[in-house]
Amino acid sequence: MAARTMQAARCPTDELSLTNCAVVSEKDLQSGQHVTVKTTPNHKFVFTVKSHTTVVPGTIAFSLPQRKWAGLSIGQEVEVANYNFDKCKQCIGSMTVEIDFLQKKSTDSSAYDSDKMAAEFIQQFNNQGFSVTQQLVFSFCDKLFGLVIKDIEAMDSSILKGEMPTGKKQKIDVGLMVGNSQVVFEKAETSSLTLVGKAKTKEARQTIINPEWNFEKMGIGGLDREFSDIFRRAFASRVFPPDIVEQMGCKHVKGIMLFGPPGCGKTLMARQIGKMLNAREPKIVNGPEILNKYVGESEANIRKLFADAEDEQKRLGANSGLHIIIFDELDAICKQRGTGASSTGVHDTVVNQLLSKIDGVEQLNNILVIGMTNRPDLIDDALMRPGRFEVKMEIGLPDEKGRVQILTIHTNKMRGFGLLSGDVDIPELAAETKNYSGAELEGLVRAAQSTAMNRHIKATSTVEVDMERAEKLQVSRSDFMGSLNNDIKPAFGTNQEDYASYIMNGIIKWGDPVTSVLDDGELLVQQTKNSDRTPLVSVLLEGPPHSGKTALAAQIAEDSEFPFIKICSPDKMIGHSEISKCQAIKKVFDDAYKSQLSCVVVDDIERLLDYVPIGPRFSNLVLQALLVLLKKPPPKGRKLLIIGTTSRKDILQEMEMLDAFSTTIHIQNISTGEQLVDALELLGSFTEKERASIGHQLKGKRVWIGIKKLLMFIEMSLQMAQDYRVTKFLTLLRDEGSLIEGDQIRI
């Protein structure tokens, strides 16, 4: 048809308006034809036409949305001409449509399936032309929706020819809807419409994980395994497309509990999770800040934390962003209910309020609550069930690989500016810092820096920096080693001063019995390290008083080179009540469970038990605590060696404690004159002539003396004049009953 002038008219019926076609008389055009309508010299619009008997010939009828889009008025003359689509270039591949309720008063909160909507749209408007910015009306589920065409991409022409797609996407202004076109619905910004299904958003899905995320840049080291576990449990469902999550009936995790020793990175990890996610700025709250002396204020503070998330969920529903709330020191506000002595019960009501907000009757799906504590045992049980803080993650002491990462992070800046000496070997430092937490490793780097800086300060009447030498400042290996030995000690580790006092005179290998004990100890250490079947190994060293049991236990512990070695000794618990003694012993074991390899020496068990032969009397509370702890296996992946010492095996037998130990090793006293002379030779206190004299006097005699008592006798004898030392020593042996006499010794 050649271009002709026609007059714009009103669409005769509502049903025809819903076709989104321009309506003409049968005498002018046939249904399904496409035309251009020229309203001004510079404005042309493409329409698909539909013929109807009620339309006056020479007029072309438009619906109200069409007239708004094309800027037409009733009776306006327009130039109408035929339009032919190029089916190789103008078939619609995908079209993005903005959707909203046509009338604001007809809004509802029902969820509309965008996939069904797209199928019906293609069915209704198949073989119809559409233009970018076009406005139209669409009826779906007896509701009217106003649509605006936002974007059109042409179909890949190679698909139309039956070839492999090239993947090229070409934007077009006008396109023809065909059966395999894709329609993607995008709700208007201010709309309260709820869409579900795959066809409800146009862009490649925005990942919840920030693409610039990097562990080292964020200053997190040694927590790769923990983080991957948290990610699997808490974020995997949020990364998947929402429609798949909906189809699975999967609910997002709403709470994560991070617990573990102080200084291992709980707060740091929680803070960085907020930066890692494309979410709202996290709200970080210290537990005690919630509490308020006025009635109801503490609960109101909890409600304020969740107010933004509630408001956004009401407005946007499933399209709400993720709100992160971080509670530091959670145990301050979430103690077990019913345990507080306070008459107000403020802790209980705060816990109740938090429970109802996280997983109450009105559930919020747009929140992630992260709690941190050093004391998970204090937290109310109701908070720990699935649906609340269901991901429980222990942030423990870093392993060697983790320590390398942490030290690298804290020395990166120095290395970048050339302030780290070449002799600093990070893997060597990581190997030396067993059981150091992340905070202690950072403290070690600071201590090494201050040691290096101290070298460049002039010690004059005024404190000033030697600027000439300061230019060459470098932190060296010796600075790190000095800080390692003197400044920074791990809270969970070996305290060498603790057990050095027990072996200050060394181990005197006066005979096979001593060597045998040390060999058996080495076997038990290897068993603890290498056996997966026996993560808990316990041994009791029993023998007479002063036979060196504690020294041998300390030596076995030191030779093991385990990262955690602690001695649980009665001298640390003088004046303790029974309950506080049990708590102190339990703490030693709890600390031991936090390390990969641990050794606990339980020294002088009968003293720990408050045993006395008169009565007899002992502490049953401490006995039961020890029996439980001696048999309790460490957590999975951890190994524990327990070495007990006692001088009263018979008493432990009656208390049924011997069965709690895997094995028992007997420690002997020195029992022959030859062994005693060998001990004297090893100690080197007497001269060779004096030792020969003592050996002659003791030849063939039996003695019975512990190594500790022998050391005491030697030191007492050495205080005498040279000629009387041997006599004094033999007299002490006889008077103390250490000599089992057959014949009298000539003195």
Side-chain angles (χ1 to χ4, degrees), residues 350-635:
V350 169
V351 175
N352 295 340
Q353 184 69 74
L354 191 58
L355 288 172
S356 64
K357 284 297 174 191
I358 296 175
D359 186 34
V361 177
E362 291 182 10
Q363 289 191 348
L364 291 171
N365 292 317
N366 59 346
I367 56 165
L368 179 63
V369 183
I370 303 172
M372 290 164 290
T373 180
N374 301 327
R375 297 291 306 276
D377 52 305
L378 296 180
I379 306 292
D380 191 87
D381 293 340
L383 274 168
M384 307 300 275
R385 74 151 174 79
R388 288 161 186 171
F389 287 104
E390 66 180 271
V391 178
K392 293 173 273 296
M393 181 60 58
E394 182 176 5
I395 308 297
L397 297 167
D399 57 12
E400 194 163 324
K401 182 184 166 194
R403 294 195 294 274
V404 169
Q405 289 180 359
I406 294 166
L407 287 165
T408 303
I409 287 165
H410 291 304
T411 55
N412 261 343
K413 204 163 189 179
M414 286 193 289
R415 192 179 291 105
F417 287 99
L419 296 174
L420 194 67
S421 174
D423 63 356
V424 176
D425 183 11
I426 297 293
E428 180 200 10
L429 283 174
E432 289 286 329
T433 49
K434 291 172 184 169
N435 274 30
Y436 276 66
S437 67
E440 285 160 350
L441 289 170
E442 186 183 1
L444 176 68
V445 174
R446 277 202 305 270
Q449 289 167 339
S450 61
T451 306
M453 288 190 281
N454 194 51
R455 286 200 302 272
H456 299 282
I457 294 175
K458 290 179 184 173
T460 58
S461 56
T462 59
V463 177
E464 55 185 52
V465 177
D466 186 345
M467 290 308 292
E468 290 176 18
R469 291 177 61 202
E471 300 289 330
K472 300 171 186 173
L473 172 68
Q474 276 201 324
V475 182
S476 66
R477 178 181 180 277
S478 60
D479 297 322
F480 278 99
M481 289 303 170
S483 301
L484 198 60
N485 295 326
N486 303 317
D487 296 330
I488 307 294
K489 298 286 182 188
F492 303 94
T494 59
N495 186 351
Q496 287 182 319
E497 293 141 17
D498 203 14
Y499 58 78
S501 60
Y502 294 113
I503 45 177
M504 60 184 176
N505 296 309
I507 298 296
I508 315 301
K509 295 181 182 177
W510 46 263
D512 290 342
V514 180
T515 313
S516 171
V517 170
L518 291 173
D519 289 346
D520 287 348
E522 174 61 22
L523 284 174
L524 292 165
V525 167
Q526 292 307 319
Q527 180 187 342
T528 310
K529 277 184 183 174
N530 303 324
S531 171
D532 291 325
R533 292 183 178 179
T534 54
L536 174 66
V537 176
S538 55
V539 57
L540 179 66
L541 304 186
E542 60 84 17
H546 312 304
S547 54
K549 300 180 295 296
T550 305
L552 286 165
Q555 187 65 46
I556 293 167
E558 186 178 31
D559 291 346
S560 73
E561 295 185 347
F562 283 5
F564 181 96
I565 300 171
K566 275 282 164 72
I567 294 185
C568 182
S569 172
D571 61 6
K572 304 271 176 60
M573 302 180 195
I574 295 170
H576 281 213
S577 67
E578 282 187 293
I579 292 172
S580 62
K581 193 180 280 192
C582 290
Q583 288 170 340
I585 296 169
K586 184 176 181 293
K587 185 176 187 310
V588 171
F589 278 83
D590 285 345
D591 290 350
Y593 298 146
K594 289 167 185 168
S595 177
Q596 302 291 327
L597 273 173
S598 306
C599 177
V600 174
V601 177
V602 185
D603 189 30
D604 214 353
I605 293 175
E606 64 272 18
R607 290 286 72 76
L608 278 172
L609 295 174
D610 297 333
Y611 171 77
V612 285
I614 303 167
R617 183 188 169 275
F618 65 93
S619 167
N620 188 48
L621 208 60
V622 178
L623 172 65
Q624 298 306 326
L626 275 174
L627 284 171
V628 170
L629 292 168
L630 288 170
K631 293 178 182 178
K632 182 184 175 185

Side-chain angles (χ1 to χ4, degrees), residues 32-271:
Q33 280 184 272
H34 311 291
V35 296
T36 57
V37 176
K38 192 173 184 181
T39 56
T40 67
N42 298 322
H43 291 90
K44 275 199 292 190
F45 300 89
V46 175
F47 289 95
T48 301
V49 298
K50 191 174 185 69
S51 60
H52 198 266
T53 53
T54 59
V55 179
V56 178
T59 63
I60 181 165
F62 298 99
S63 66
L64 178 62
Q66 289 172 325
R67 296 201 302 274
K68 275 186 181 176
W69 171 54
L72 288 162
S73 55
I74 304 295
Q76 181 180 340
E77 291 192 346
V78 291
E79 193 177 293
V80 180
N82 256 350
Y83 183 83
N84 294 312
F85 281 97
D86 181 343
K87 296 210 173 175
C88 284
K89 294 179 181 175
Q90 287 187 288
C91 285
I92 295 172
S94 71
M95 181 167 82
T96 305
V97 182
E98 188 177 272
I99 184 168
D100 196 1
F101 293 108
L102 185 65
Q103 295 172 316
K104 296 298 178 191
K105 65 182 179 183
S106 67
T107 60
D108 65 23
S109 58
S110 305
Y112 291 91
D113 189 327
S114 58
D115 299 320
K116 289 180 181 175
M117 203 179 264
E120 192 159 323
F121 185 93
I122 293 166
Q123 195 176 352
Q124 278 188 34
F125 303 126
N126 193 19
N127 213 35
Q128 199 161 314
F130 289 95
S131 306
V132 175
T133 70
Q134 183 175 344
Q135 296 178 24
L136 56 149
V137 180
F138 174 50
S139 173
F140 179 73
C141 293
D142 298 326
K143 279 274 182 189
L144 293 180
F145 297 93
L147 309 185
V148 179
I149 311 298
K150 301 293 284 183
D151 187 67
I152 300 175
E153 280 178 6
M155 194 173 286
D156 194 334
S157 58
S158 54
I159 296 175
L160 300 170
K161 296 172 189 172
E163 299 169 3
M164 286 293 290
T166 60
K168 290 181 182 174
K169 292 182 178 179
Q170 187 180 358
K171 305 245 185 213
I172 52 176
D173 292 326
V174 181
L176 183 69
M177 178 69 65
V178 290
N180 57 347
S181 298
Q182 287 185 331
V183 179
V184 179
F185 288 100
E186 194 180 56
K187 69 171 202 163
E189 277 186 26
T190 56
S191 174
S192 59
L193 174 67
T194 305
L195 290 178
V196 294
K198 292 178 185 172
K200 66 178 179 182
T201 178
K202 73 168 184 183
E203 7 176 282
R205 297 188 184 278
Q206 282 253 331
T207 174
I208 193 170
I209 306 296
N210 191 328
E212 294 176 5
W213 168 255
N214 178 299
F215 269 117
E216 290 203 0
K217 280 185 188 169
M218 296 296 184
I220 294 180
L223 295 173
D224 300 28
R225 183 186 60 78
E226 288 86 348
F227 194 83
S228 64
D229 284 353
I230 288 175
F231 182 86
R232 175 178 62 82
R233 293 292 314 282
F235 303 133
S237 63
R238 296 183 188 274
V239 173
F240 261 75
D243 50 282
I244 295 177
V245 176
E246 284 163 14
Q247 288 163 15
M248 289 179 73
C250 174
K251 287 186 179 178
H252 298 310
V253 165
K254 294 189 220 165
I256 304 173
M257 174 71 71
L258 305 178
F259 66 93
C264 287
K266 297 184 295 296
T267 308
L268 176 66
M269 183 178 242
R271 196 182 301 127

